[in-house]
Amino acid sequence: MKYIDEFNDPGLARRLLDEIRATVTRPWALMEVCGGQTHSIIRHGIDQLLPEEVELIHGPGCPVCVTPLEVIDKALEIASRPEVIFCSFGDMLRVPGTDRDLFRVKGEGGDVRVVYSPLDALQLARHHPDRQVVFFAIGFETTAPANAMAVHQARRLGLDNFSLLVSHVRVPPAIEAIMTAPACRVQGFLAAGHVCSVMGISEYPELAERHRVPIVVTGFEPLDILEGVRRAVHQLERGEHRVENAYPRAVREAGNPAALRMLEEVFEVADRSWRGIGRIPASGWRLTDAFRAYDAEHRFDVTGIRTEEPAVCRAGEVLQGLIKPTECSAFGTTCTPRTPLGATMVSSEGACAAYYLYRRMNGQNSQGAPAPRGAGIPQEEMNSVG
Amino acid sequence: MAELVSEAAPETVDPANWTCPAPLRDQPVVVMGHGGGGALSAELIEQVFAPAYGNPTLARMGDSAVLDLGGARLAFSTDSHVVRPLFFPGGSLGDLAVNGTVNDLAMSGARPAHLSAAFVLEEGVELRVVDRVARAMGAAAEAAGVTVVTGDTKVVEAGHGDGVYVTTAGVGLVPEGVDIRPQRARPGDAVIVSGPIGLHGVAIMSVREGLEFGVEVTSDTAPLADLVAAMLAVTPDIHVLRDPTRGGLAASLNEIARASGTGVRLNERAIPVPDAVVNACGFLGLDPLYVANEGRLVAFVPPTEADAVLAAMRAHPQGGGATLIGECVADHPGMVVVATGLGGTRVVDLPLGEQLPRIC
């Protein structure tokens, strides 16, 4: 396929890998911020191909994994109501709340639907004027403009049966939180290309300068990721810490002005909790007062739901590369992919889930061994029938 | 939050009152994933159906049961068919109802002979719709060389069904000397797929979700018994056959790996995935390995027979795109590992339930 196959070329990948190998002289820890990049790294086995000096730490950039338990519980409460059609992106349906997930709500009679866009949910609101349609607005800066557009349209069309359950998060404050954490190991960032295609790159030079880390805006195809790694390693080896755009085919310095205008009109910056990490100042968005009427939390009066993360879970430290998953006391006992306590076990690509799968693949004693990443949710061994 | 215990205290097991501790995914109700052909489906069988009426034949977990009956080796299978919409590019519920059961029989090496057809109709469905489904079944049966010899009809009240459900069962005879079942996979076996994967799932998604992928994608629904006969004509020693329907190639290969205690290693670049499927899956965040097929088979054959079987498959209309995609290995028993196009590896696990479009 034009413009995809070209970025998945084994010959070019080998050349980039050779160049990285020739450049690196000491260990470096890079964090890829975005879950989409993590997925691509796992899907193509990129982390196993890099020289061992280059460690990729999977960042907190999967919006599904970092949606706080409290917000999931609010979603479950709203989706259970008979008057509600609850619309969500597909992968949110299996993220566990305190005692169930959206699949379970659907199984118990809740009207839960997978949609591909908030505008699909808006259409449902037009076609079902007697029902309340709620869209689960999760994601980083990438999905936020379309969600803002949906609310904007709802107001323009006079649709008072449409609302958003908002759980938007912003990348730069997360980078700030990671860099200011005690014993932070991250020495360079692959910034999320799709986020930057909306926001531009103006928020990053100050971060790069203050924390003295290279930040390379990176795409999602294998060659994009290898090029991001190559540039980050190159800077680190030369003692530099600049912002570079290694994804110019999608990212302009100023971002997408129309999307930015839409965001500014509909959302305002707010503090936000991240599952497995905790509260990060100014790391989220909420609807502005002008659009508060479309806020499902207020409309369905679930603002009082307060759920604490299990204290035993150390996903936050795993996400920051401070500990290996196997160092957590809950790993493989009370916390498994079937009963995840934290973000890194919820996601099939999370570090804890990958270690869990690796342990299954190589017997039960891989404590501390480097884990090849695995896609898919590991399952317990099944008993034979009969 | 329930109080968490980080270290389980050792317990004394009372064998008389012991029950399997594996949770049914902590689900007290049926969820869509229980019908997805993945781990949830397997758990439902193992924890509900097997304890209720399990027996050694059921325990083989083949696509069909092979029974010694009156001196004959009879293959017997049943399959329920629910699809929305009823008619889609390349086929219909009627095609699936016939081909699904015909193919389940064929995966044990049987020559399918006769089917039953039981309809559950929803009050209010237009009779011309039922007529179209029935005619499609007739045409599919003729193409597959089987006859529909018995049936049943039930009607449920409006709102208690989804238009038309069809359950078919089928019987066929397994030739002497043929023993095809998932437990027979052996390290060294060649793993062959009969053609491009993912077409049925993407065809259904394209009409169900109103998504356009640039070109019309048509379902691959087809009967495979004749292709299997052509393969058996080359060698009766085919170890395993599976038609990778729900859960796709990933689910079938995981089931075979687990049943046989072997591992499977695939070469990603060898797996035939049409551009339209690549694009659709890329757009939706799905993996083609998990997408349903309705006219494909995956075969495990001894390495010495691989070339001959491949040639026989490629000479057949249903196997023109047959490809060697990997091998059965002694490493990582029960697991499927893919060598990626760039030279890395990834584990392809059994899907939990239905694959979900990803946001990230």
Side-chain angles (χ1 to χ4, degrees):
Chain A
M1 177 186 168
K2 193 72 181 149
Y3 303 128
I4 293 291
D5 286 354
E6 289 83 346
F7 291 93
N8 195 6
D9 182 296
L12 290 172
R14 262 191 301 278
R15 292 210 329 242
L16 281 169
L17 283 161
D18 288 345
E19 195 174 335
I20 293 165
R21 232 172 257 117
T23 306
V24 72
T25 62
R26 45 174 285 199
W28 298 112
L30 304 177
M31 176 176 278
E32 89 277 0
V33 171
C34 179
Q37 291 166 335
T38 304
H39 182 80
S40 190
I41 287 163
I42 291 163
R43 172 106 180 60
H44 298 282
I46 290 170
D47 48 348
Q48 303 153 46
L49 300 172
L50 289 166
E52 62 180 21
E53 292 90 345
V54 180
E55 179 188 2
L56 288 179
I57 297 172
H58 301 325
C62 169
V64 176
C65 308
V66 300
T67 299
L69 194 59
E70 185 174 287
V71 178
I72 306 277
D73 283 350
K74 288 173 182 175
L76 296 168
E77 167 67 25
I78 293 169
S80 302
R81 302 193 182 191
E83 74 274 23
V84 167
I85 299 174
F86 192 87
C87 300
S88 171
F89 293 129
D91 46 3
M92 285 304 295
L93 267 66
R94 66 168 163 235
V95 180
T98 298
D99 59 359
R100 54 192 175 149
D101 58 22
L102 283 165
F103 269 124
R104 166 96 168 267
V105 170
K106 187 172 188 288
E108 289 169 342
D111 193 345
V112 178
R113 305 190 191 187
V114 173
V115 296
Y116 298 95
S117 152
L119 301 176
D120 294 345
L122 201 66
Q123 285 294 83
L124 282 170
R126 291 179 77 172
H127 293 149
H128 297 277
D130 55 327
R131 305 281 301 279
Q132 285 288 332
V133 176
V134 181
F135 179 71
F136 201 171
I138 67 152
F140 282 80
E141 294 94 326
T142 325
T143 55
N147 295 339
M149 172 72 84
V151 170
H152 204 268
Q153 295 261 44
R155 191 170 69 173
R156 195 173 58 80
L157 297 165
L159 289 173
D160 55 8
N161 65 329
F162 178 80
S163 59
L164 295 183
L165 177 61
V166 179
S167 184
H168 278 303
V169 277
R170 301 172 58 238
V171 166
I175 292 181
E176 174 71 26
I178 287 160
M179 289 312 298
T180 51
C184 167
R185 294 177 50 239
V186 180
Q187 294 162 295
F189 285 94
L190 307 184
H194 290 162
V195 167
C196 296
S197 70
V198 172
M199 303 302 290
I201 57 178
S202 61
E203 296 174 283
Y204 295 96
E206 188 269 334
L207 276 171
E209 184 57 40
R210 194 153 40 83
H211 296 294
R212 305 184 68 76
V213 284
I215 299 177
V216 181
V217 177
T218 302
F220 298 82
E221 298 304 323
L223 293 190
D224 288 323
I225 289 166
L226 289 172
E227 174 64 5
V229 170
R230 187 190 70 82
R231 292 198 194 195
V233 167
H234 198 259
Q235 280 198 50
L236 286 165
E237 289 284 344
R238 295 166 60 137
E240 296 171 353
H241 47 271
R242 288 177 291 107
V243 176
E244 278 189 79
N245 181 4
Y247 196 36
R249 71 181 186 278
V251 174
R252 288 188 302 237
E253 192 154 338
N256 179 337
L260 289 168
R261 278 196 302 275
M262 185 59 69
L263 281 175
E264 193 165 347
E265 185 180 349
V266 175
F267 289 123
E268 62 191 10
V269 170
D271 294 351
R272 184 105 229 150
S273 289
W274 295 51
R275 189 170 197 166
I277 297 177
R279 204 155 189 78
I280 301 178
S283 66
W285 273 310
R286 68 178 175 216
L287 290 161
T288 59
D289 283 343
F291 288 91
R292 187 75 75 232
Y294 297 92
D295 186 338
E297 283 198 46
H298 292 277
R299 183 173 296 188
F300 297 96
D301 193 23
V302 292
T303 50
I305 291 178
R306 292 272 179 267
T307 318
E308 290 298 316
E309 294 283 352
V312 69
C313 174
R314 299 176 69 186
E317 293 162 273
V318 172
L319 279 172
Q320 294 166 67
L322 301 177
I323 63 165
K324 293 249 186 288
T326 46
E327 293 172 59
C328 172
S329 66
F331 176 82
T333 54
T334 52
C335 182
T336 71
R338 305 167 67 87
T339 54
L341 297 182
T344 46
M345 195 64 100
V346 170
S347 164
S348 59
E349 289 130 29
C352 293
Y355 266 71
Y356 188 89
L357 188 64
Y358 179 67
R359 204 169 66 153
R360 225 193 83 203
M361 189 172 159
N362 293 279
Q364 293 299 303
N365 297 308
S366 63
Q367 294 264 335
R373 311 304 184 193
I377 296 180
Q379 300 299 322
E380 311 290 350
E381 291 299 332
M382 297 187 188
N383 304 325
S384 59
V385 180
Chain B
M1 279 305 298
E3 193 180 334
L4 291 165
V5 183
S6 57
E7 286 187 34
E11 292 178 354
T12 309
V13 176
D14 172 9
N17 293 311
W18 188 86
T19 54
C20 172
L24 194 61
R25 274 293 296 175
D26 302 322
Q27 298 284 12
V29 298
V30 173
V31 294
M32 289 305 290
H34 283 121
L40 283 174
S41 300
E43 286 177 16
L44 189 66
I45 294 165
E46 288 161 9
Q47 294 168 32
V48 176
F49 301 136
Y53 50 73
N55 56 71
T57 306
L58 183 67
R60 290 193 201 113
M61 302 293 268
D63 281 346
S64 55
V66 178
L67 310 162
D68 289 317
L69 208 65
R73 294 183 69 217
L74 187 81
F76 177 40
S77 183
T78 186
D79 209 343
S80 292
H81 303 276
V82 295
V83 66
R84 193 191 310 153
L86 296 175
F87 307 94
F88 47 82
S92 71
L93 173 66
D95 296 298
L96 297 184
V98 170
N99 293 339
T101 296
V102 162
N103 293 345
D104 282 347
L105 292 168
M107 295 309 110
S108 62
R111 264 291 190 187
H114 305 293
L115 302 187
S116 69
F119 280 74
V120 178
L121 305 174
E122 185 184 10
E123 179 187 35
V125 170
E126 293 180 19
L127 279 174
R128 64 179 181 83
V129 171
V130 182
D131 182 60
R132 268 184 80 187
V133 172
R135 285 174 185 275
M137 286 179 68
E142 188 174 351
V146 296
T147 50
V148 181
V149 292
T150 182
D152 183 49
T153 309
K154 294 286 186 293
V155 178
V156 295
E157 290 176 2
H160 287 247
D162 193 17
V164 183
Y165 299 148
V166 183
T167 300
T168 50
V171 291
L173 290 176
V174 182
E176 204 54 50
V178 170
D179 181 17
I180 298 173
R181 50 193 169 87
Q183 291 79 5
R184 289 199 66 219
R186 294 284 176 275
D189 280 359
V191 178
I192 297 167
V193 70
S194 65
I197 63 165
L199 287 163
H200 176 74
V202 169
I204 294 291
M205 274 187 275
S206 68
V207 284
R208 188 183 290 171
E209 314 295 352
L211 300 168
E212 298 289 337
F213 301 124
V215 293
E216 184 180 78
V217 180
T218 57
S219 170
D220 58 1
T221 179
L224 297 169
D226 202 56
L227 172 64
V228 172
M231 295 162 70
L232 286 170
V234 174
T235 173
D237 191 26
I238 292 170
H239 288 170
V240 188
L241 291 173
R242 205 80 171 185
D243 64 331
T245 52
R246 292 171 310 167
L249 200 57
S252 291
L253 292 173
N254 270 283
E255 287 163 7
I256 294 164
R258 287 167 192 230
S260 59
T262 63
V264 176
R265 187 173 177 85
L266 300 180
N267 172 7
E268 187 170 51
R269 286 209 175 253
I271 301 168
V273 187
D275 279 351
V277 174
V278 171
N279 298 345
C281 288
F283 176 68
L284 296 172
L286 304 175
D287 186 336
L289 290 174
Y290 291 92
V291 176
N293 312 274
E294 288 291 344
R296 297 287 176 258
L297 64 79
V298 62
F300 283 53
V301 299
T304 51
E305 310 288 352
D307 288 345
V309 170
L310 264 172
M313 291 173 80
R314 287 173 181 160
H316 190 280
Q318 297 303 340
T323 310
L324 177 70
I325 58 169
E327 65 172 337
C328 186
V329 295
D331 297 337
H332 49 79
M335 298 187 85
V336 179
V337 174
V338 172
T340 71
L342 295 185
T345 57
R346 69 186 164 106
V347 174
V348 176
D349 208 354
L350 190 66
L352 187 64
E354 293 185 312
Q355 208 183 181
L356 297 166
R358 286 186 309 112
I359 179 180
C360 68

Coordinates of all heavy atoms in Angstrom, one line a residue, chain A residues 79 84-93 102-103 105-106 110-117 120-121 123-125 127-128 130-136, chain B residues 84 209 356:
Chain A
A79 N -24.0 4.0 32.2 CA -24.4 3.0 31.2 C -25.5 2.1 31.7 O -26.2 1.5 30.9 CB -23.2 2.2 30.7
V84 N -30.4 5.5 28.9 CA -29.2 5.8 28.3 C -28.7 4.9 27.2 O -28.9 3.7 27.3 CB -28.0 5.9 29.4 CG1 -26.7 6.0 28.7 CG2 -28.3 7.1 30.3
I85 N -28.3 5.5 26.0 CA -27.5 4.7 25.1 C -26.0 5.2 25.3 O -25.7 6.3 25.1 CB -27.9 5.0 23.6 CG1 -29.4 4.7 23.4 CG2 -27.0 4.3 22.6 CD1 -29.9 5.1 22.0
F86 N -25.2 4.2 25.8 CA -23.8 4.6 26.1 C -22.9 4.2 25.0 O -22.8 3.0 24.6 CB -23.4 3.9 27.4 CG -22.2 4.4 28.0 CD1 -22.2 5.5 28.9 CD2 -20.9 3.9 27.7 CE1 -21.0 6.1 29.4 CE2 -19.7 4.4 28.2 CZ -19.8 5.5 29.1
C87 N -22.2 5.2 24.4 CA -21.4 4.9 23.3 C -19.9 5.1 23.6 O -19.5 6.0 24.4 CB -21.7 5.9 22.2 SG -23.4 5.9 21.6
S88 N -19.1 4.1 23.1 CA -17.7 4.1 23.5 C -16.8 3.6 22.4 O -17.3 2.8 21.5 CB -17.5 3.2 24.7 OG -16.1 3.0 25.0
F89 N -15.5 3.9 22.4 CA -14.6 3.2 21.5 C -14.5 1.8 22.1 O -14.7 1.6 23.2 CB -13.2 3.9 21.6 CG -13.2 5.3 21.0 CD1 -12.6 6.3 21.6 CD2 -13.7 5.5 19.7 CE1 -12.6 7.6 21.1 CE2 -13.6 6.7 19.1 CZ -13.1 7.8 19.8
G90 N -14.2 0.9 21.2 CA -14.3 -0.6 21.5 C -13.5 -1.0 22.7 O -14.0 -1.7 23.6
D91 N -12.2 -0.6 22.7 CA -11.4 -1.2 23.7 C -11.6 -0.7 25.2 O -11.1 -1.2 26.1 CB -9.9 -1.0 23.4 CG -9.5 0.4 22.9 OD1 -10.4 1.3 23.0 OD2 -8.4 0.6 22.6
M92 N -12.5 0.3 25.3 CA -12.9 0.7 26.7 C -13.8 -0.3 27.3 O -14.0 -0.4 28.6 CB -13.6 2.0 26.7 CG -12.6 3.2 26.5 SD -11.3 3.3 27.7 CE -12.1 3.6 29.2
L93 N -14.5 -1.2 26.5 CA -15.5 -2.0 27.1 C -15.0 -3.1 28.0 O -15.7 -3.6 28.9 CB -16.3 -2.7 25.9 CG -17.6 -2.0 25.5 CD1 -17.2 -0.7 24.8 CD2 -18.4 -2.8 24.5
L102 N -17.8 -2.7 31.1 CA -19.0 -2.3 30.3 C -19.6 -3.5 29.5 O -20.8 -3.5 29.2 CB -18.5 -1.2 29.3 CG -18.4 0.2 29.8 CD1 -17.6 1.1 28.9 CD2 -19.8 0.8 30.2
F103 N -18.8 -4.5 29.2 CA -19.4 -5.7 28.7 C -20.4 -6.3 29.6 O -21.5 -6.8 29.2 CB -18.3 -6.7 28.4 CG -17.7 -6.6 27.0 CD1 -16.3 -6.5 26.9 CD2 -18.4 -6.7 25.9 CE1 -15.7 -6.4 25.6 CE2 -17.9 -6.6 24.6 CZ -16.5 -6.4 24.5
V105 N -22.1 -4.7 31.9 CA -23.3 -3.9 31.9 C -24.2 -4.2 30.7 O -25.4 -4.3 30.8 CB -22.9 -2.4 31.9 CG1 -24.1 -1.5 31.7 CG2 -22.2 -2.0 33.2
K106 N -23.5 -4.4 29.5 CA -24.3 -4.7 28.3 C -25.0 -6.0 28.5 O -26.1 -6.2 28.1 CB -23.3 -4.8 27.1 CG -23.9 -4.9 25.8 CD -22.8 -4.8 24.7 CE -23.4 -4.7 23.3 NZ -23.9 -6.0 22.8
G110 N -27.9 -3.3 29.7 CA -27.5 -1.9 29.4 C -27.3 -1.7 27.9 O -26.9 -2.6 27.2
D111 N -27.7 -0.5 27.4 CA -27.6 -0.3 25.9 C -26.2 0.3 25.7 O -26.0 1.6 25.7 CB -28.7 0.6 25.5 CG -28.8 0.7 23.9 OD1 -27.8 0.2 23.3 OD2 -29.8 1.2 23.4
V112 N -25.2 -0.5 25.5 CA -23.8 -0.1 25.3 C -23.4 -0.4 23.9 O -23.6 -1.5 23.4 CB -22.8 -0.8 26.3 CG1 -21.4 -0.4 26.0 CG2 -23.2 -0.6 27.7
R113 N -22.9 0.6 23.2 CA -22.6 0.5 21.8 C -21.2 0.9 21.5 O -20.8 1.9 22.0 CB -23.6 1.3 20.9 CG -25.1 0.9 21.2 CD -26.0 1.5 20.2 NE -27.4 1.4 20.7 CZ -28.4 1.7 19.9 NH1 -28.3 2.2 18.7 NH2 -29.7 1.6 20.4
V114 N -20.6 0.2 20.6 CA -19.2 0.5 20.1 C -19.4 1.5 18.9 O -20.2 1.1 18.0 CB -18.4 -0.7 19.7 CG1 -17.1 -0.3 19.0 CG2 -18.1 -1.6 20.9
V115 N -18.8 2.6 19.0 CA -18.8 3.5 17.8 C -17.4 3.9 17.4 O -16.4 3.6 18.1 CB -19.6 4.8 18.1 CG1 -21.0 4.6 18.4 CG2 -18.9 5.6 19.3
Y116 N -17.2 4.4 16.2 CA -15.9 4.7 15.7 C -15.6 6.2 15.8 O -14.5 6.6 15.5 CB -15.8 4.2 14.3 CG -15.9 2.7 14.2 CD1 -17.1 2.1 13.9 CD2 -14.8 1.9 14.4 CE1 -17.3 0.8 13.8 CE2 -15.0 0.5 14.4 CZ -16.2 0.0 14.1 OH -16.3 -1.4 14.1
S117 N -16.6 7.0 16.1 CA -16.4 8.4 16.2 C -17.5 9.0 17.0 O -18.6 8.5 17.1 CB -16.5 9.0 14.7 OG -17.0 10.3 14.7
D120 N -20.7 9.6 15.3 CA -21.7 8.5 15.2 C -22.7 8.6 16.4 O -23.9 8.3 16.3 CB -21.0 7.1 15.3 CG -20.1 6.9 14.0 OD1 -20.3 7.6 13.0 OD2 -19.3 6.0 14.1
A121 N -22.1 8.9 17.6 CA -23.0 9.0 18.8 C -23.9 10.2 18.6 O -25.1 10.1 19.0 CB -22.1 9.2 20.0
Q123 N -25.2 11.2 15.8 CA -26.3 10.7 14.9 C -27.3 9.9 15.7 O -28.5 10.0 15.5 CB -25.7 9.8 13.8 CG -25.0 10.6 12.7 CD -25.9 11.5 11.9 OE1 -26.3 12.6 12.4 NE2 -26.4 11.0 10.8
L124 N -26.8 9.1 16.6 CA -27.7 8.3 17.5 C -28.7 9.2 18.3 O -29.8 8.9 18.4 CB -27.0 7.3 18.4 CG -26.4 6.1 17.8 CD1 -25.4 5.4 18.8 CD2 -27.5 5.1 17.4
A125 N -28.1 10.3 18.8 CA -28.9 11.2 19.5 C -30.0 11.8 18.7 O -31.1 12.1 19.1 CB -28.0 12.3 20.1
H127 N -31.4 10.4 16.1 CA -32.3 9.3 15.7 C -33.1 8.8 16.9 O -34.1 8.1 16.7 CB -31.6 8.2 15.0 CG -31.0 8.5 13.7 ND1 -29.9 8.0 13.2 CD2 -31.4 9.5 12.8 CE1 -29.6 8.5 12.0 NE2 -30.5 9.4 11.8
H128 N -32.7 9.1 18.1 CA -33.4 8.6 19.3 C -33.6 9.8 20.3 O -33.0 9.9 21.4 CB -32.5 7.5 20.0 CG -32.3 6.3 19.2 ND1 -33.2 5.3 19.1 CD2 -31.2 6.0 18.4 CE1 -32.7 4.3 18.3 NE2 -31.5 4.7 17.9
D130 N -35.9 10.3 22.2 CA -36.5 9.9 23.5 C -35.4 9.3 24.5 O -35.7 8.9 25.6 CB -37.6 8.9 23.3 CG -37.1 7.7 22.5 OD1 -36.2 7.9 21.6 OD2 -37.5 6.5 22.7
R131 N -34.2 9.1 24.0 CA -33.1 8.5 24.8 C -32.0 9.5 25.1 O -31.8 10.5 24.4 CB -32.5 7.3 24.1 CG -33.5 6.2 23.6 CD -34.0 5.3 24.7 NE -32.9 4.6 25.4 CZ -32.3 3.5 24.9 NH1 -32.8 3.0 23.7 NH2 -31.4 2.8 25.6
Q132 N -31.2 9.3 26.2 CA -30.1 10.1 26.5 C -28.8 9.3 25.9 O -28.6 8.2 26.2 CB -29.9 10.2 28.0 CG -30.8 11.2 28.6 CD -30.5 12.6 28.3 OE1 -29.3 13.0 28.0 NE2 -31.5 13.5 28.3
V133 N -28.1 10.0 25.0 CA -27.0 9.4 24.4 C -25.7 10.0 25.0 O -25.5 11.2 25.0 CB -26.9 9.6 22.8 CG1 -25.6 9.1 22.2 CG2 -28.1 8.9 22.2
V134 N -24.9 9.1 25.5 CA -23.6 9.6 26.2 C -22.4 9.0 25.5 O -22.4 7.8 25.2 CB -23.6 9.1 27.7 CG1 -22.3 9.6 28.4 CG2 -24.8 9.6 28.4
F135 N -21.5 9.8 25.1 CA -20.2 9.3 24.5 C -19.1 9.4 25.5 O -18.9 10.4 26.2 CB -19.9 10.2 23.3 CG -18.6 9.7 22.6 CD1 -18.6 8.5 21.9 CD2 -17.5 10.5 22.7 CE1 -17.4 8.1 21.3 CE2 -16.3 10.0 22.1 CZ -16.3 8.8 21.4
F136 N -18.4 8.3 25.6 CA -17.2 8.2 26.5 C -16.0 8.9 25.9 O -15.4 8.2 25.0 CB -17.0 6.7 26.9 CG -16.2 6.5 28.1 CD1 -16.0 5.2 28.6 CD2 -15.6 7.5 28.9 CE1 -15.4 5.0 29.8 CE2 -15.0 7.3 30.0 CZ -14.8 6.0 30.5
Chain B
R84 N -25.5 -10.5 11.2 CA -26.2 -9.3 10.8 C -25.3 -8.4 9.9 O -24.1 -8.2 10.3 CB -26.6 -8.5 12.0 CG -27.6 -7.3 11.7 CD -27.8 -6.4 12.9 NE -28.0 -7.1 14.2 CZ -27.7 -6.6 15.4 NH1 -27.1 -5.5 15.4 NH2 -28.0 -7.3 16.5
E209 N -20.9 -1.8 9.8 CA -20.5 -0.5 10.4 C -20.6 0.7 9.4 O -20.2 1.8 9.7 CB -19.1 -0.6 11.0 CG -18.8 -1.8 11.8 CD -19.6 -1.9 13.1 OE1 -20.3 -0.9 13.4 OE2 -19.5 -2.9 13.7
L356 N -11.7 -6.1 19.6 CA -12.3 -4.7 19.7 C -11.5 -3.7 18.9 O -10.2 -3.8 19.0 CB -12.4 -4.3 21.2 CG -13.3 -5.2 22.0 CD1 -13.0 -4.9 23.5 CD2 -14.7 -5.0 21.7

